[in-house]
Amino acid sequence: MAPPIKPVRRVVTGNDANGESYVLYDSAAPNVNPGAIRPGTCMTDVWVYPSCPVELAGTRDDGRLKFNFEPPHAGGHLRVVQSPPKPPGYDPAQDPTAIPIGEPRQRDGGCWDKGGANAFSSPYHKSETVDYGIVLEGERVLILDDGLHVMKPGDVVVQLGNWHGWCNPNEGSLMAFVMMGAKYEG
């Protein structure tokens, strides 16, 4: 059983009509997506920007936009991902969520997926994005073609549109991701 979803406090600031700074929103981030990609995983979009440069005026709430795994192609998003650990006594033969590695396929929205997911692992995937991933809590293992890379709190990964996966064989994790639209060469 996945741990309960941890609310993400979001403090959004801006400027009033006189140019004075103030808090626009201070509450749990409203765009919570439990099981958005995998059962047990929760993705909370804190803020989404449709393009760069970002318009800094107004009181709009870009943390309430419709969930999409990929960010807007000319923009990006800040997302917090909560991932469960490997269940005690895990038996891969009894995992109804397991998807074996297979041929690459493009999901709706543009992300490429090869399968390889299970109760504590993401699919092996890539997207046309630059991603900054920061481990906030727990331990998460980055899976690349060259092997496994254990990441601990404070570690940062920069992903440049490459094939990768994530797993939590030892404990659950909390990560922040900034994903920005990018373009493959050619």
Side-chain angles (χ1 to χ4, degrees), residues 117-129:
N118 61 37
F120 62 95
S121 299
S122 76
Y124 203 63
H125 62 284
K126 72 176 183 175
S127 55
E128 202 169 14
T129 58

Side-chain angles (χ1 to χ4, degrees), residues 136-158:
L136 303 172
E137 294 177 6
E139 175 183 283
R140 202 146 190 224
V141 178
L142 174 61
I143 305 165
L144 298 174
D145 294 331
D146 72 355
L148 305 178
H149 305 270
V150 177
M151 298 189 63
K152 305 253 182 202
D155 291 348
V156 178
V157 62
V158 178

Side-chain angles (χ1 to χ4, degrees), residues 14-23:
N15 295 298
D16 67 16
N18 298 320
E20 300 289 323
S21 60
Y22 75 110
V23 172

Side-chain angles (χ1 to χ4, degrees), residues 36-37 43 45 47-50 65-79 105-113 125-131 178-182 184:
I37 301 298
M43 297 183 176
D45 285 349
W47 202 256
V48 181
Y49 51 97
L65 301 179
K66 182 179 180 231
F67 176 82
N68 189 48
F69 180 75
E70 297 82 9
H73 188 70
H77 61 229
L78 170 59
R79 174 174 290 156
R105 67 175 181 82
Q106 194 168 24
R107 298 191 306 223
D108 289 341
C111 185
W112 286 87
D113 186 325
H125 62 284
K126 72 176 183 175
S127 55
E128 202 169 14
T129 58
V130 172
D131 307 341
V178 175
M179 294 177 69
M180 298 174 295
Y184 289 121

